[in-house]
Amino acid sequence: MKYVFMVVITAAIVGACDRDPVLPNEEELITTLTYTLNAGDSIGTAVFTFRDIDGDGGQPPVISGDTLVAGFFYSGTITLLNESVSPAENITEEIEAEAEAHRFYFTGSSVTTNPITISDVDGNGFPVGLSTVLHATTAGNSVLRITLRHNADKSKPLEAAGGETDIEVEFPIVVR
Amino acid sequence: MKNCALILFLAFAHWCTGQECYITISGRVMDRATHEPLEFTTVELQEYKTGVLSDSLGQFVFRNVCPGSVHIHFRHIGCPVEGIFVNITRDTGILFYLEHHGELLHEIKVEGQLESSNNVQQAISTAVLQERPHASLAEIASEVAGVTMIKNGSGISKPIIHGMYGNRVAVINNGILQAGQQWGADHAPEVDPLIASNITVVKGSDAIEYGSQALGGAIRLDPGPIRQDPHFHGDIMYGYESNGRAHLIAFKGNRSFSKIDVRLCASMKRSGDHAAPNYFLTNTGLKAWSGALQLNYRASDATKHHFYYSIFNAAPGIFAGAHISNLTDLEQALASETPFNISDQFSYTIVPPRQAVTHQLLKYAGRRFVNATTSLEWSYAAQYNHRKEYDIRRGDRSAIPALDLRLWNHVIEVKRNIEGPRVINATGLQFRFADNFNSYETGILPLIPDYKEGYAGVFTSFEFPGENLTWNAGGRYDLRLLRSWAITMNFPHQLVQRDHIDHESALAVGLKMTPGEKATTRLHIVGARRSPAPNELYSFGLHQGIAGIEEGDWNLQSETSLKLILDQSLEIEHLAHVQVSVYSHTIFDYMYLRPEPELRLTIRGAFPVYRYVQEDAWIRGLDVLIVSDFSHRLEWSGKASFIRGTRLQDDTDLAQMPPTQFNSSLAWTFKDSRRWKSVKINIDVSHLAEQMFWDEEAELLKPPASYTLLNAGFSTGFAAGNNMIYGSVSIENLLDLSYRNYLNRLRYFADEEGRNVRVVLRYEF
């Protein structure tokens, strides 16, 4: 009897004043990074994409690499999207707006390319990395790592720059 | 101080008339813990500006006292000064218990609360509370053997009792289970130790009174009774710490009226960046303030009411060198000599990542004596907790909390106490209800989903006191209903309402044997069942400063625990008090975070994933405490604790177990002069061994090396008129040693704090 009484009271309290929680709108999330490399009309465009629509959990991300041609210069652009909201949000603009606080680092592809040079600068004259130039040099396979740091010390190399990692993705690069 | 305020008035049949001064006040001073007479206690009659020393039997006498009210003060080496206020109309005898060995096993009477005398629990000496006003609850509780803390950098710490913390250690603030979002290592208990007069660590069977949350033990903070003194008394304290350049002011005042006793407490603290020996720990400042108001209303001799309100506010920064980092960042941090993102300038500024926490408690309790042995108690308490955590974010979002959790908690309890000569019984009903909800403005999926939780419990405990053998037994049953709005992991994310019905129960038996005057043996056996907490079921996401994704398991079942404690106290006359505790704690279906073999790839890089799993575990250990008794000027005390935790299936080690620890403390107290009282110097050595038993799969790095720290202190009291000024200087990490602590979650990134000089001034009136 006492048990029934307790169940009723507790259930009444828990059940009472019910409400409908709402999921927050994940406007800040970056789901998709696209690195587009263009070597002009004759060679065409190579596209590298990292996409993880459901964030940190759930399904694993989908990564697609591409093939470059040795001996050509490519101009690269990075696009960041939040595709978890509809319509998709362009995060690239947020980086541009806070260019002083952000920098992309490109590492790991030295077997097949010359070091990637960053062609855009922020208001303090430091590199940003949304626009780059890539020179594919040697045929072969390598892995390109793109890192976006927030509040890093831009005067230092990646290993010593500190800051917060907003993005760290790797793409297979094939140069033929 | 309630520890000392157990006073017996023996009225002698001696009538007196008129206003002539021929009253005699005589009495005896005893040690509260050992019940031995306290020789050399200075007993002062404030109004007469006269004092006497107690003799070898602890006795003292004042003659030719006029009728009227007097303040009597008791001073003894190594004890906080205690006083009483009495109205003298005839010859009076006083038996006063002074807190002499606060660190020894205590049998504590709390006003309005029936307590078993058969406890495995230890009180923190009041002197510790007064000399370390900056310390957090976990730091204070660590004074007790067998208690350590898990830290998340400077200023954020939570207590570990016998290897357990978080959901398994209950914090009881003024009799009420502290409700907070205490599931993360970076969530310190939201309570200010300065508002308490007494802090007690409960390790034994009496912890079941607090339900399954006290599986590993409980820490109790009690405001203590208010002295019935019609004058305004209290203290004002100022404290400074060189490391962090911290300033603290605190005030405590109380006054008694004919039927109402009032106490008011308030404190404020501000600190900047702490420093390791070689660099600043940038962004480890803290802004905090708290307050409490206590009203005790004596409606009649039989009925008493108690009102209490407290508020706690803290805004700590999170160390800048320990941002949420993936495995690459962690490798870089480990390879780097000094942490990243630190500044070479000291600053009071606190920037994201930071936290802002508020906790409020409102309580009403009543007690009524139905007859000489039976009393009824009833209480209601409401708590409101608001936790905001800010991260470095893009846009103007750094000003929007990344986590914004609110919690409402209500507790209703009724209890009947019977204190008979042969049996002591307490039986009661308790209802608890919690509503935890996230703000939707964060723009980030919450770490813990919204939930509501209700508990309905019945409990009873019996104690059968005896000459040489006292035994007690208790039981508690709780029905728990949990409704959560869990978030699915796949896209698009959805909310799923999930209901859980669980039964929690606890049974405890304790024995206390006193074969001789000098030895006491206690044996406690506690069995308990705890249902999974919302964080163990549903947590999901990255924690501040921890390189890992934490994931709950929706299908966890209750865990069952069996704890045995054997506690032996021994008094070796004129040599030492020795106390040894051995315990064994087996937990079936123990819920804990275990790393998954596969790393998880996210757009921010690869992270280890820690998921809640259930396995059988066995945690056992030994605590030793020795306090010397060969001289009343020179005192030595030693503490040691050993602990080991393994999985039962394959005998592998559990992660996050406290390493073996030794402490040794030597103090010398000088002879009191007319002005200078309780002048004391002390030197402490503590050694933390390297954790040899660790889980290689769960740790990213080998545990840090062993270290030995040296602390020293000087304290004194100065008589200023009728009042006292106390001053102390203490130095922690005297040698400015660089070291890292296994139980600090930021050990991968930075050294522990360097030398710290603390100065505390306290004016008591």
Side-chain angles (χ1 to χ4, degrees):
Chain A
M1 186 57 216
K2 200 182 240 172
Y3 178 76
V4 174
F5 169 72
M6 280 163 48
V7 172
V8 169
I9 285 205
T10 318
I13 295 172
V14 173
C17 55
D18 235 341
R19 99 183 88 72
D20 287 316
V22 187
L23 275 176
N25 187 17
E26 289 188 282
E27 54 191 20
E28 200 188 0
L29 189 70
I30 303 172
T31 62
T32 313
L33 179 144
T34 312
Y35 188 37
T36 312
L37 291 167
N38 188 347
D41 291 343
S42 56
I43 301 298
T45 303
V47 180
F48 298 81
T49 311
F50 182 105
R51 189 182 225 192
D52 189 10
I53 291 182
D54 54 9
D56 292 344
Q59 297 296 315
V62 179
I63 301 163
S64 59
D66 212 331
T67 305
L68 308 178
V69 184
F72 285 88
F73 283 88
Y74 289 80
S75 69
T77 45
I78 285 180
T79 320
L80 304 177
L81 291 178
N82 176 6
E83 293 185 288
S84 75
V85 291
S86 175
E89 206 169 332
N90 187 347
I91 307 284
T92 322
E93 290 163 6
E94 285 190 10
I95 306 295
E96 279 167 354
E98 286 184 1
E100 282 83 3
H102 290 92
R103 182 184 165 171
F104 286 94
Y105 295 84
F106 300 84
T107 50
S109 64
S110 59
V111 181
T112 53
T113 71
N114 275 341
I116 293 169
T117 51
I118 292 174
S119 48
D120 53 352
V121 289
D122 64 20
N124 302 325
F126 283 113
V128 181
L130 287 167
S131 305
T132 45
V133 175
L134 179 147
H135 182 198
T137 50
T138 325
N141 296 328
S142 64
V143 175
L144 170 68
R145 175 183 283 184
I146 301 178
T147 309
L148 172 64
R149 285 281 173 91
H150 190 175
N151 286 350
D153 183 348
K154 287 193 180 190
S155 63
K156 289 184 177 157
L158 177 61
E159 299 71 41
E164 228 350 81
T165 304
D166 282 353
I167 294 176
E168 187 190 289
V169 295
E170 286 180 343
F171 297 108
I173 285 194
V174 180
V175 176
R176 64 175 169 83
Chain B
M1 285 309 311
K2 76 175 170 232
N3 284 347
C4 315
L6 191 71
I7 308 155
L8 266 171
F9 294 95
L10 310 165
F12 297 153
H14 189 114
W15 286 96
C16 57
T17 48
Q19 281 300 306
E20 277 131 84
C21 301
Y22 52 79
I23 295 175
T24 301
I25 302 174
S26 58
R28 220 176 155 189
V29 190
M30 311 278 276
D31 185 327
R32 182 83 188 87
T34 62
H35 288 257
E36 283 176 3
L38 274 179
E39 201 181 351
F40 301 115
T41 307
T42 309
V43 186
E44 292 168 346
L45 272 186
Q46 187 184 307
E47 281 73 8
Y48 294 80
K49 296 199 179 357
T50 162
V52 293
L53 276 182
S54 63
D55 63 14
S56 61
L57 295 172
Q59 291 171 340
F60 63 91
V61 68
F62 292 106
R63 294 181 207 284
N64 303 328
V65 180
C66 311
S69 299
V70 286
H71 290 86
I72 307 176
H73 294 295
F74 299 85
R75 288 179 211 288
H76 190 272
I77 286 166
C79 306
V81 179
E82 296 304 334
I84 52 169
F85 179 78
V86 278
N87 189 20
I88 307 282
T89 54
R90 52 193 168 183
D91 285 359
T92 301
I94 291 169
L95 179 60
F96 195 85
Y97 286 99
L98 203 56
E99 178 189 293
H100 182 42
H101 288 298
E103 66 277 38
L104 281 175
L105 193 69
H106 250 50
E107 294 173 1
I108 292 169
K109 271 263 185 273
V110 179
E111 192 191 53
Q113 235 177 305
L114 195 71
E115 282 282 329
S116 159
S117 68
N118 180 15
N119 292 336
V120 178
Q121 61 181 35
Q122 274 157 308
I124 313 281
S125 157
T126 318
V128 173
L129 292 173
Q130 287 170 349
E131 280 173 25
R132 299 184 62 190
H134 304 78
S136 70
L137 179 66
E139 287 167 325
I140 296 271
S142 303
E143 294 280 330
V144 169
V147 182
T148 43
M149 58 182 162
I150 187 157
K151 292 202 285 184
N152 199 53
S154 302
I156 298 177
S157 54
K158 60 200 310 173
I160 306 180
I161 301 178
H162 286 170
M164 304 204 154
Y165 68 95
N167 291 330
R168 296 187 185 89
V169 170
V171 174
I172 310 296
N173 183 5
N174 192 5
I176 300 296
L177 180 69
Q178 176 87 7
Q181 290 113 10
Q182 284 164 30
W183 27 267
D186 52 344
H187 300 179
E190 292 109 348
V191 60
D192 180 3
L194 279 178
I195 62 170
S197 295
N198 283 277
I199 296 181
T200 318
V201 174
V202 187
K203 302 173 188 169
S205 64
D206 28 335
I208 69 155
E209 187 188 333
Y210 310 118
S212 66
Q213 295 251 305
L215 209 67
I219 296 180
R220 228 176 47 202
L221 295 98
D222 294 301
I226 301 169
R227 201 159 88 193
Q228 283 175 26
D229 185 327
H231 306 114
F232 186 57
H233 287 287
D235 57 16
I236 295 175
M237 177 155 46
Y238 167 77
Y240 175 78
E241 282 192 336
S242 67
N243 198 330
R245 301 185 201 173
H247 298 273
L248 174 138
I249 47 170
F251 164 81
K252 195 178 264 189
N254 45 262
R255 190 177 166 180
S256 227
F257 300 92
S258 64
K259 291 205 162 208
I260 298 177
D261 310 324
V262 185
R263 175 184 288 149
L264 188 69
C265 300
S267 78
M268 269 170 78
K269 184 181 167 184
R270 182 81 205 261
S271 79
D273 296 337
H274 291 81
N278 301 319
Y279 41 81
F280 281 111
L281 300 165
T282 302
N283 203 38
T284 51
L286 169 73
K287 268 193 269 189
W289 65 271
S290 70
L293 176 69
Q294 183 183 355
L295 291 174
N296 293 348
Y297 174 58
R298 281 165 275 124
S300 68
D301 281 349
T303 310
K304 289 180 174 67
H305 303 278
H306 167 88
F307 301 89
Y308 187 79
Y309 169 77
S310 70
I311 181 164
F312 171 84
N313 270 276
I318 309 281
F319 176 47
H323 50 82
I324 294 169
S325 45
N326 60 35
L327 279 189
T328 324
D329 298 345
L330 195 64
E331 280 163 17
Q332 284 172 5
L334 295 177
S336 170
E337 190 95 331
T338 55
F340 292 124
N341 307 337
I342 57 169
S343 159
D344 51 6
Q345 296 289 318
F346 170 84
S347 167
Y348 280 106
T349 318
I350 298 167
V351 295
R354 63 186 181 91
Q355 303 180 351
V357 188
T358 309
H359 191 96
Q360 294 178 72
L361 165 69
L362 183 69
K363 181 190 173 184
Y364 159 72
R367 187 177 198 191
R368 186 181 167 79
F369 278 89
V370 181
N371 56 45
T373 56
T374 308
S375 68
L376 290 175
E377 284 178 59
W378 57 92
S379 66
Y380 165 74
Q383 291 175 81
Y384 175 67
N385 183 297
H386 191 183
R387 168 174 287 273
K388 289 185 280 189
E389 294 183 1
Y390 298 85
D391 272 333
I392 301 168
R393 300 172 72 175
R394 285 193 309 278
D396 298 325
R397 296 189 195 95
S398 292
I400 304 169
L403 176 87
D404 189 346
L405 260 176
R406 279 164 230 250
L407 167 72
W408 271 106
N409 184 286
H410 306 270
V411 187
I412 301 168
E413 188 179 289
V414 282
K415 194 160 129 183
R416 188 197 59 183
N417 303 307
I418 300 170
E419 199 162 1
R422 305 175 70 178
V423 60
I424 298 167
N425 168 248
T427 303
L429 278 174
Q430 189 190 61
F431 294 95
R432 276 190 284 149
F433 170 67
D435 186 1
N436 213 334
F437 53 104
N438 287 280
S439 159
Y440 316 123
E441 312 293 320
T442 57
I444 288 178
L445 288 184
L447 279 170
I448 302 285
D450 292 12
Y451 67 87
K452 289 182 186 186
E453 194 177 31
Y455 278 90
V458 280
F459 58 91
T460 186
S461 69
F462 292 90
E463 182 180 332
F464 303 93
E467 189 78 6
N468 299 322
L469 174 75
T470 293
W471 71 278
N472 66 299
R476 183 180 172 114
Y477 166 81
D478 281 281
L479 170 78
R480 184 188 78 154
L481 301 182
L482 173 70
R483 169 169 291 178
S484 315
W485 288 269
I487 300 162
T488 59
M489 294 205 187
N490 288 326
F491 191 79
H493 298 296
Q494 276 168 341
L495 288 164
V496 182
Q497 181 180 315
R498 283 176 53 99
D499 291 333
H500 297 257
I501 300 178
D502 296 287
H503 306 278
E504 294 189 345
S505 50
L507 272 175
V509 184
L511 276 175
K512 176 180 147 191
M513 282 172 289
T514 328
E517 286 256 309
K518 301 294 174 198
T520 308
T521 309
R522 289 176 171 86
L523 175 68
H524 282 216
I525 304 169
V526 192
R529 197 170 158 80
R530 183 177 76 88
S531 42
N535 68 308
E536 289 156 335
L537 290 163
Y538 300 115
S539 71
F540 172 68
L542 275 165
H543 263 282
Q544 269 180 347
I546 298 160
I549 294 170
E550 194 178 300
E551 273 186 21
D553 178 348
W554 290 23
N555 299 311
L556 291 176
Q557 301 299 313
S558 294
E559 64 184 22
T560 310
S561 110
L562 183 67
K563 187 172 182 180
L564 274 87
I565 305 180
L566 180 65
D567 186 277
Q568 178 67 51
S569 316
L570 201 64
E571 279 166 41
I572 310 163
E573 211 158 341
H574 303 303
L575 187 67
H577 305 276
V578 180
Q579 194 186 316
V580 180
S581 259
V582 195
Y583 57 91
S584 159
H585 198 169
T586 313
I587 308 122
F588 302 99
D589 301 315
Y590 179 64
M591 291 173 249
Y592 72 103
L593 279 172
R594 191 178 62 189
E596 300 268 278
E598 302 267 306
L599 294 175
R600 173 155 315 152
L601 194 60
T602 76
I603 199 154
R604 277 171 292 178
F607 288 91
V609 178
Y610 295 87
R611 193 190 289 275
Y612 277 99
V613 293
Q614 291 192 291
E615 276 176 300
D616 300 343
W618 182 32
I619 297 168
R620 61 278 192 194
L622 169 72
D623 301 329
V624 182
L625 171 69
I626 303 169
V627 180
S628 74
D629 189 24
F630 44 77
S631 152
H632 69 279
R633 299 233 171 265
L634 184 70
E635 188 178 85
W636 175 82
S637 73
K639 276 187 292 189
S641 23
F642 309 89
I643 184 166
R644 174 111 197 252
T646 50
R647 280 176 273 267
L648 275 181
Q649 283 91 334
D650 50 8
D651 207 33
T652 51
D653 291 294
L654 290 170
Q656 298 293 334
M657 283 292 142
T660 299
Q661 198 171 347
F662 301 94
N663 291 80
S664 165
S665 172
L666 196 64
W668 175 265
T669 311
F670 295 90
K671 201 168 173 234
D672 281 1
S673 73
R674 202 169 59 82
R675 284 253 142 145
W676 300 92
K677 319 268 183 191
S678 315
V679 183
K680 186 176 134 184
I681 49 169
N682 68 289
I683 187 148
D684 305 338
V685 183
S686 59
H687 176 80
L688 217 80
E690 182 179 331
Q691 181 55 281
M692 305 307 285
F693 306 107
W694 55 291
D695 184 352
E696 282 185 45
E697 282 173 20
E699 310 280 359
L700 302 161
L701 198 66
K702 191 172 179 282
S706 67
Y707 60 85
T708 306
L709 288 184
L710 209 58
N711 304 325
F714 166 79
S715 60
T716 181
F718 179 76
N722 285 334
N723 301 322
M724 288 292 291
I725 297 170
Y726 294 90
S728 68
V729 178
S730 37
I731 309 173
E732 284 166 354
N733 194 0
L734 190 68
L735 304 175
D736 209 21
L737 185 80
S738 291
Y739 67 101
R740 296 193 181 195
N741 182 340
Y742 176 59
L743 295 174
N744 190 338
R745 297 298 294 259
L746 304 191
R747 66 183 179 279
Y748 304 125
F749 305 102
D751 291 338
E752 295 287 318
E753 288 175 31
R755 187 185 297 122
N756 179 30
V757 181
R758 183 190 305 112
V759 181
V760 179
L761 282 173
R762 194 166 62 86
Y763 176 65
E764 203 174 85
F765 56 88

